[in-house]
Amino acid sequence: MEQVVRSGDRKAVLAAAVTVVLWASAFVFIRAAGEDFSPGALALGRLLTGAIALVIILIIRGEGLPARGAWRGILVSGVLWFGVYMVALNWGEQHVDAGTAAMVINIGPILIAVLSGLVLKEGFPARLMAGIAVAFAGAVVVGMSNSSGGSAAVLGVVLCLTAALAWAVAVVAQKPALVHASALQVTTGGCVIGTIACLPFAGQLFSEAARAPLSSTLSVVYLGVFPTALAFTTWAYALSRTTAGKMGVTTYAVPALVILMAWIALDEVPGLLAVLGGLLCLSGVAITRSRADKPIEPEDAVTQEVSTPT
């Protein structure tokens, strides 16, 4: 039995790792596509692509619509995370560089940990709090190392903080929904809701897509298929098998990966601070993933850790 539990935990860790890598790549591709697409149009193009891919997969798998008990969480996460978050992040990255945006966004895991401790009754485990402190320090160091090349405009920072708040609330709302529906159902529903919420930007999307170079259009498609359709599904899968607090803190590895990807794609060599910050981020994640107690069944963990808000 313990072997089965550990196998499930390994799958959750792998799913979380896929999410982190793809979300890190999104910061680079948003910067690239943002040259030719406005924030709302970019969000709609990304969500529309992701929604089409997810609906096709959902039909092929024959999973159908989520149970009624999941819809409140799907609606909240769809509007806030797939809608507000993406527009705010796209807009914010037009005023701050990718590394700074990734660092500011990573106030989100702290908000997730606090909200999930209060609302989902996950508590405030010492390992989680210690991991948050270490990883957040690493995120700050990474942001410092990468902020010199971009404008740390107040508007950009405010927009990224708005995105972080929307993300945190959405995750806490999404967690109970995963008790009633699969990761694919929750992700598909949220993506479709987000697409509907962004439809007012349809005119901008069509006009800007007609003028945009192929590289920018392909960036939008990539953002929809991989950091959205795939990464949000692997996130939901992992979230259904662990606490919201632990899942949130895994994203502290994102700023370090953004620096590495910018180095590879944009020939920006990371400095000593970036390397040090990246190591701190990964150390913080490792602390939160360590455990002192005997593992329990993933199904039992969901039952014990989730208290659906009334």
Side-chain angles (χ1 to χ4, degrees), residues 6-284:
R6 288 178 177 174
S7 176
D9 185 68
R10 285 196 296 269
K11 290 179 180 179
V13 171
L14 178 60
V18 170
T19 299
V20 167
V21 171
L22 291 179
W23 281 356
S25 73
F27 283 90
V28 177
F29 279 87
I30 287 172
R31 289 281 286 178
E35 296 291 330
D36 301 288
F37 288 92
S38 58
L42 177 55
L44 177 58
R46 174 180 178 177
L47 289 169
L48 184 60
T49 303
I52 291 172
L54 287 165
V55 168
I56 291 174
I57 296 172
L58 192 71
I59 293 174
I60 292 174
R61 290 180 59 86
E63 292 195 20
L65 294 175
R68 190 168 67 175
W71 276 105
R72 180 170 62 175
I74 290 174
L75 286 170
V76 173
S77 64
V79 172
L80 291 181
W81 198 356
F82 289 85
V84 174
Y85 171 90
M86 290 195 182
V87 175
L89 176 59
N90 294 343
W91 194 359
E93 282 208 57
Q94 292 188 351
H95 298 278
V96 297
D97 58 87
T100 300
M103 186 271 289
V104 176
I105 286 292
N106 269 293
I107 196 71
I110 293 179
L111 298 175
I112 291 172
V114 172
L115 289 174
S116 60
L118 295 173
V119 178
L120 301 180
K121 311 302 181 186
E122 291 180 358
F124 301 93
R127 289 174 184 270
L128 177 61
M129 295 298 103
I132 285 176
V134 173
F136 182 69
V140 171
V141 172
V142 171
M144 290 171 56
S145 73
N146 199 44
S147 61
S148 59
S151 173
V154 174
L155 177 59
V157 173
V158 170
L159 287 167
C160 289
L161 287 173
T162 301
L165 179 60
W167 170 31
V169 175
V171 169
V172 174
Q174 187 188 59
K175 175 71 173 176
L178 291 164
V179 176
H180 305 283
S182 70
L184 179 59
Q185 288 175 320
V186 170
T187 304
T188 303
C191 194
V192 170
I193 295 299
T195 302
I196 295 172
C198 290
L199 282 179
F201 302 109
Q204 294 179 15
L205 175 61
F206 292 140
S207 61
E208 292 169 7
R211 300 191 303 266
L214 180 60
S215 59
S216 291
T217 302
L218 290 177
S219 292
V220 175
V221 173
Y222 171 85
L223 286 167
V225 174
F226 294 100
T228 304
L230 177 56
F232 274 76
T233 302
T234 52
W235 163 278
Y237 174 87
L239 180 62
S240 68
R241 286 159 172 75
T242 187
T243 67
K246 282 188 176 182
M247 275 303 297
V249 82
T250 60
T251 62
Y252 274 124
V254 169
L257 291 174
V258 171
I259 295 295
L260 177 60
M261 291 177 181
W263 180 18
I264 296 173
L266 306 176
D267 197 28
E268 296 177 353
V269 181
L272 179 60
L273 278 178
V275 176
L276 176 60
L279 291 174
L280 284 172
C281 288
L282 295 175
S283 298

